[in-house]
Amino acid sequence: SFWEVSYKIIYGSNIAIQMADEKGNDPLTDQLKGECYFLRAFVTHDLVLLFSKPYSSANSSLPGVILRESATDGAPKARATLAETYDYIVSSLKKAATLMSNEAPVVRNNRGFASKLSAWALLSRVYLYMGDYQNTISYADSVINSGAYSLESPESYPTLFANAENASETIWCIPFLAVDDKKEASVASMVYNGANCWGEEGASPSILNAMGFGTALMDVDVRWKYIETSNPGLKNGVNIYYIRKFSGQGGSPTLSSPVMIRLSEVYLNRAEAYAKKGQLADALADVNEIRTNRMIVPQGGSLNEYLYDAVRDGITVDNVLESVLKERRIELAFEGHRIFDILRNGQDLVRDYWGYHLDSYNGIPTGSAPGLGAAGVVIHPTDASTVYPIPESEISTNKLCVTNK
């Protein structure tokens, strides 16, 4: 399960940290040790997102996850509070950044390994989730101003994910080789229709509408290159608009190197923090920086038509967050952020389209949309189903671990 695999990664990281402590200090050992602190923080954050409520001052004493802090820390143990869990994540990332130098040793100096800047980028994400907007901005500034990364251009963006390890925007990815191509068992096989693909899922009508389906944006915004719109499939009565974002490495429809952190997210972390601090111009500037690098403007057109303008678009301090979250949704689509963006902002998850997320769907649509009153369409942020149950394998062997109710 995700829970068990995550704790194996944390255990392996703690073993490596112990071995590094025993070896002593040198640049390569410190780099490796820093990577391990980074990995355990990254994995712990993913765990707390799935198995706990979103962080807030009101929720800070609720159960977080079990913290494994050393190689010998394996006995049955209670879940830490949310506040304690986030303190552990932040302290691990700060330790990682301290250990890793600005210039990583040559053998680790590529985007397939964590770096000091990876730790700072992840801190910008974690602080955003904690509602600490000044620290979100500070760590985002450090990454953006480093000059180590640059946003992909409109021309290069469509090949970013197929060439993740060498992309200018990638901060940290997990490099896959041809031997790692899982074909029918890959993520891509579920959402694409190439060779060895099942093609069972696709872009929802909701994201298609947000991106401007049926408008001129389909020819201007290069992010449409990752969605197959010309030849949708049809399964269980639903049109499937296939997703290309995890395909294309080495020409394989089922291979890519997952991008875990990239520069556009850091810009959007900062934009959201600015929006929540009431800094309207700064928030729109970051969003527009991304849009500038995603639009190929037709001859005779103006880029400004596709950028946000506060006066023209009626954007104010009170509603700028809507624009930021919309851009975040489009830019980071299918990369695993959306559900957590919804929940941490206290918004409803609305899926007013046909599919098996509905409680009683039989594979035959009976109208243009099921409607907001249909069971399964609207999930409130307070709903118990937004938090995953702790696996029985943990509950049955660790009597100190409380379940999610």
Side-chain angles (χ1 to χ4, degrees), residues 16-320:
I17 290 168
Q18 177 180 289
M19 294 174 69
D21 286 340
E22 293 170 356
K23 184 178 184 296
N25 300 95
D26 62 76
L28 180 56
T29 301
D30 285 347
Q31 169 69 25
L32 297 173
K33 187 175 173 182
E35 290 176 24
C36 291
Y37 275 105
F38 172 88
L39 282 174
R40 81 176 196 183
F42 180 86
V43 171
T44 302
H45 191 233
D46 279 355
L47 281 167
V48 80
L49 293 180
L50 289 173
F51 295 99
S52 303
K53 290 286 188 180
Y55 184 95
S56 69
S57 56
N59 288 348
S60 61
S61 61
L62 294 179
V65 296
I66 298 169
L67 303 183
R68 299 299 184 186
E69 302 181 69
S70 70
T72 58
D73 184 8
K77 192 175 186 180
R79 294 165 67 181
T81 65
L82 263 177
E84 292 166 340
T85 301
Y86 272 87
D87 285 346
Y88 168 90
I89 294 166
V90 168
S91 64
S92 292
L93 288 171
K94 288 183 175 179
K95 179 70 171 179
T98 299
L99 286 163
M100 295 186 282
S101 63
N102 291 330
E103 288 293 330
V106 174
V107 293
R108 310 298 282 185
N109 192 14
N110 70 66
R111 293 170 194 198
F113 298 110
S115 65
K116 180 188 288 288
L117 292 172
S118 305
W120 289 349
L122 187 52
L123 278 165
S124 81
R125 180 192 297 178
V126 171
Y127 276 125
L128 179 67
Y129 279 55
M130 294 177 70
D132 185 339
Y133 304 125
Q134 190 53 55
N135 269 319
T136 300
I137 293 167
S138 295
Y139 279 102
D141 283 346
S142 296
V143 175
I144 292 167
N145 296 337
S146 72
Y149 315 100
S150 60
L151 292 172
E152 297 293 335
S153 69
E155 293 73 25
S156 65
Y157 181 76
T159 61
L160 186 163
F161 294 90
N163 300 282
E165 198 172 355
N166 299 308
S168 66
E169 192 168 313
T170 300
I171 296 175
W172 178 55
C173 69
I174 300 176
F176 275 36
L177 304 175
V179 70
D180 300 311
D181 191 342
K182 301 300 183 184
K183 300 189 182 301
E184 294 92 342
S186 69
V187 170
S189 74
M190 295 188 293
V191 297
Y192 192 51
N193 65 335
N196 301 307
C197 292
W198 297 101
E200 295 180 328
E201 300 288 344
S204 71
S206 180
I207 182 62
L208 295 176
N209 290 335
M211 292 178 67
F213 185 76
T215 72
L217 277 169
M218 295 181 71
D219 296 319
V220 177
D221 190 336
V222 296
R223 291 172 291 198
W224 278 103
K225 300 290 186 183
Y226 286 112
I227 301 176
E228 174 60 65
T229 58
S230 61
N231 187 30
L234 181 65
K235 288 195 175 183
N236 302 312
V238 176
N239 283 330
I240 304 293
Y241 292 91
Y242 300 111
I243 300 162
R244 298 191 183 108
K245 217 169 195 180
F246 311 105
S247 303
Q249 182 176 318
S252 170
T254 53
L255 182 63
S256 69
S257 293
V259 179
M260 311 310 289
I261 309 174
R262 58 189 180 100
L263 187 61
S264 59
E265 184 209 337
V266 178
Y267 270 101
L268 289 163
N269 292 345
R270 190 171 71 174
E272 186 175 337
Y274 280 143
K276 289 178 174 175
K277 285 171 65 68
Q279 295 176 230
L280 172 63
D282 291 326
L284 289 183
D286 277 347
V287 169
N288 282 337
E289 184 67 21
I290 291 173
R291 292 185 70 80
T292 296
N293 287 279
R294 300 294 181 257
M295 305 292 163
I296 296 181
V297 181
Q299 188 173 3
S302 169
L303 176 62
N304 288 334
E305 297 176 45
Y306 304 99
L307 304 183
Y308 286 110
D309 181 283
V311 175
R312 182 194 66 204
D313 301 326
I315 301 173
T316 67
V317 168
D318 294 328
N319 64 18
V320 64

